[in-house]
Amino acid sequence: MDGRWDGRRAAVRTTIDELVTSGREAGVQVAAYLDGEPIVQEQAGLADPATGRPMTADTPIHAVSTGKGLTATVVHVLAERGLLDYDLRIADVWPEFARRGKDGITLRHALTHTAGLPALPADTTPEDFTDWDRMCAVIADAEPLWAPGARLAYHAWTFGWIVGEVVRRVTGRPISQVLAEEVAGPLGVAGELFLGVPEADLPRLARLEDAGLTAMIAYASAHLPNFDAVAPPGVRPDATIGSRPDVLRADVPAVGTMSARAVARMYAALLGPVDGVRLISPERLEEVSAVAVRAEDWVFGQEVTFGLGYAVDGDGSFGTAGSGGSLAFAYPALGLTVAAVRNRLGAGDGDPMEGLRTLVRDAVVAGSA
C-alpha cells in the first residue's frame, strides 16, 4: 500500500489496539480504499474469544444491516446490464405480489423504504427466516400500511425478501448466488462477502458477542410504538439470531456477513475501477447515491435520508450501517470508501466504528487540501 498513508494506518492501528486492550471490543477490522487502491487494512483482537482464534483480515463478520448495501449493489449491477429498472412494478415479475393492493409498488419504493411493507407477523420465528418461499408468501399476502411512496418506514427485515425475490425472478438465481458470481467473484473476495453463508465457511466466521445491543433493542421495543412491528420479539436483529448457523446459511438479504476489506473493495468498485473491475457507470453512481427521499421514519421517529438502497449522510457519503455498530460507506467526491466491522455488538458506547470512519475520512480530506 502507498507509503504516504503509513502514519494514518498507524493511527488506526493504535486506536483499534486500544479498543481491544481496554475491553471495549473483542475483534475489529478497518479497511479503506482511495481511488481504487487500498490505503488502510488493519485488524486487532479475537475472532472467537472462547477459543482464542485471532481476528484476521479475511475473517467474515456478521454485520447485520450493513448487508443491505450488498443487496442494493446487486440491484445496481443488474440494472447496469439492463436486467432491472428502478421503476419496475414488482408485480410484473412477481405476480403474487400484486395481492391486497400492492400492484403499484415499484423496485424504487422498495429501495427507498417507501413500499409501505415494513411489518412482519408478530409470531415470526428464526425458523421462518430459513424458508425463502414462506417469507416471500408472507410478503406477497401482506397488506400495505399506506400507499406506495406516502411514508418512509425502515423495512428492517422485509427489504431483503422484497428486493431479493425481484432479483430471483429476473435472474433465476438466489440473490446470494448473484452476489457471489457478479460482485464478490470478479472482485476477488468471494470468501469474504456473503448474504447466505455457505456451510463450509461457517467455521471461519467471527463469533458475535452482545455488549449492549440487546438492552438497546429492549428499550426501543418499550418506547417506540412501531418497533415490534418491524422487528418482532422472536427475530430481533441481535447477536443471538446473528449467531444461528441455520439463519446465517439462509438468504436473509436485509443482513449480511463480510470482512471490512471486502466490503470496502465493493464500494470502491462502485466509485471506479478496482484492478480493472468497475461495477456501475459514473452516471448510475450519481443516480444511486443521490438523495431520493428525506423524511421522518415511521419506526424511529427521526428524519432519515436514503438514496437507492443506501443511506445518504450529510458528509457526502452513502452506504449502510448495522445494529451493533458495523458500517461501510463511500465518498464519491473524495474517491474514498471506508468500512469498520466488529464482533462485539454494542450500543450506547460512543460508536467507536463511526469514530474510525471519521478518522480515515478526515485524514483523506486533510491530505487533499
Side-chain angles (χ1 to χ4, degrees), residues 27 29 46-64 190-209 239-250 255-259 341-344:
Q29 298 171 347
L46 300 177
D48 186 347
T51 65
R53 176 163 56 95
M55 182 69 76
T56 59
D58 64 348
T59 301
I61 303 174
H62 185 69
V64 201
E192 301 176 39
L193 202 64
F194 302 111
L195 291 170
V197 180
E199 176 84 30
D201 287 294
L202 289 176
R204 300 176 47 235
L205 269 55
R207 179 182 177 183
L208 299 183
E209 297 182 346
T240 299
I241 197 168
S243 298
R244 288 182 58 130
D246 56 345
V247 175
L248 287 164
R249 287 195 306 267
V255 296
T257 302
M258 65 206 71
S259 69
V341 294
R342 61 182 184 175
N343 58 342
R344 180 168 287 169

Side-chain angles (χ1 to χ4, degrees), residues 5-21 28-31 39-46 54-57 356 359-360:
W5 296 98
D6 287 350
R8 193 49 55 192
R9 283 194 289 272
V12 170
R13 178 73 197 188
T14 297
T15 300
I16 63 175
D17 281 345
E18 290 175 350
L19 288 169
V20 169
T21 56
V28 179
Q29 298 171 347
V30 187
I39 59 169
V40 174
Q41 181 181 293
E42 299 291 342
Q43 54 281 327
L46 300 177
M55 182 69 76
T56 59
L356 287 162
L359 175 65
V360 175

Side-chain angles (χ1 to χ4, degrees), residues 88-217:
L88 168 77
R89 289 193 326 139
I90 292 173
D92 287 346
V93 296
W94 180 4
E96 304 92 324
F97 185 84
R99 292 200 293 264
R100 300 184 184 270
K102 299 196 297 297
D103 55 301
I105 297 174
T106 67
L107 181 56
R108 187 184 302 272
H109 291 130
L111 290 170
T112 57
H113 298 265
T114 60
L117 296 167
L120 284 175
D123 60 353
T124 302
T125 68
E127 289 77 15
D128 293 331
F129 278 16
T130 69
D131 187 335
W132 182 266
D133 290 339
R134 175 182 175 84
M135 293 310 303
C136 288
V138 167
I139 299 294
D141 198 48
E143 183 172 352
L145 299 182
W146 44 77
R151 293 198 68 174
L152 187 152
Y154 188 56
H155 287 44
W157 289 117
T158 57
F159 175 94
W161 293 294
I162 297 170
V163 176
E165 182 65 358
V166 171
V167 169
R168 191 187 72 84
R169 296 276 176 144
V170 169
T171 66
R173 294 175 288 167
I175 190 170
S176 59
Q177 183 180 347
V178 180
L179 175 74
E181 294 175 352
E182 310 294 343
V183 178
L187 288 171
V189 290
E192 301 176 39
L193 202 64
F194 302 111
L195 291 170
V197 180
E199 176 84 30
D201 287 294
L202 289 176
R204 300 176 47 235
L205 269 55
R207 179 182 177 183
L208 299 183
E209 297 182 346
D210 177 72
L213 178 60
T214 297
M216 184 276 287
I217 290 175

